[in-house]
Amino acid sequence: MKKQSFMIPIYAELIRLGRYAINEAEQKDGQKIVPAVYREDVAMHLAERAEG
Protein backbone atom coordinates (compact mmCIF):
# COMPACT_ATOMS: atom_id res chain seq x y z
CA MET A 1 0.00 0.00 0.00
CA LYS A 2 1.37 3.40 -0.95
CA LYS A 3 1.22 5.96 1.85
CA GLN A 4 -0.72 9.13 1.07
CA SER A 5 0.22 12.00 3.40
CA PHE A 6 -3.28 13.50 3.34
CA MET A 7 -4.61 10.35 5.02
CA ILE A 8 -2.56 10.83 8.21
CA PRO A 9 -4.79 13.53 9.76
CA ILE A 10 -7.88 11.69 8.50
CA TYR A 11 -6.92 8.48 10.31
CA ALA A 12 -6.04 10.56 13.40
CA GLU A 13 -9.51 12.11 13.39
CA LEU A 14 -11.14 8.70 12.91
CA ILE A 15 -9.24 7.49 15.98
CA ARG A 16 -10.42 10.52 17.98
CA LEU A 17 -13.99 9.75 16.90
CA GLY A 18 -13.62 6.12 18.01
CA ARG A 19 -14.14 4.59 14.59
CA TYR A 20 -10.55 3.34 14.20
CA ALA A 21 -7.89 2.03 16.57
CA ILE A 22 -4.15 2.55 16.16
CA ASN A 23 -3.44 -1.19 16.63
CA GLU A 24 -5.02 -4.48 17.64
CA ALA A 25 -4.22 -3.98 21.34
CA GLU A 26 -6.33 -0.78 21.39
CA GLN A 27 -9.18 -2.18 19.30
CA LYS A 28 -12.69 -2.25 20.75
CA ASP A 29 -15.88 -3.71 19.29
CA GLY A 30 -16.58 -2.54 15.77
CA GLN A 31 -13.40 -0.51 15.33
CA LYS A 32 -11.25 -0.88 12.27
CA ILE A 33 -7.44 -0.83 12.50
CA VAL A 34 -5.25 1.85 10.93
CA PRO A 35 -3.18 0.25 8.14
CA ALA A 36 0.34 -0.64 9.29
CA VAL A 37 2.01 1.74 6.86
CA TYR A 38 0.27 4.70 8.56
CA ARG A 39 0.51 3.73 12.24
CA GLU A 40 3.77 5.46 13.16
CA ASP A 41 2.86 8.69 11.36
CA VAL A 42 -0.65 8.76 12.79
CA ALA A 43 0.68 8.16 16.31
CA MET A 44 3.16 11.03 15.86
CA HIS A 45 0.37 13.28 14.55
CA LEU A 46 -1.81 12.49 17.56
CA ALA A 47 1.09 13.10 19.96
CA GLU A 48 1.90 16.47 18.36
CA ARG A 49 -1.73 17.56 18.67
CA ALA A 50 -1.86 16.48 22.31
CA GLU A 51 1.24 18.53 23.17
CA GLY A 52 0.12 21.73 21.49
Side-chain angles (χ1 to χ4, degrees):
M1 170 185 279
K2 183 178 177 185
K3 186 171 22 174
Q4 303 290 329
S5 62
F6 68 89
M7 289 299 294
I8 294 167
I10 293 171
Y11 280 124
E13 183 63 21
L14 289 169
I15 288 170
R16 280 192 284 263
L17 293 172
R19 295 189 180 141
Y20 270 71
I22 194 75
N23 57 37
E24 291 84 4
E26 302 290 323
Q27 186 179 22
K28 296 178 184 164
D29 293 335
Q31 286 181 322
K32 296 180 181 179
I33 303 295
V34 173
V37 69
Y38 288 100
R39 289 181 191 164
E40 183 176 343
D41 292 323
V42 171
M44 288 175 40
H45 183 83
L46 289 168
E48 288 170 0
R49 297 293 177 186
E51 290 175 1

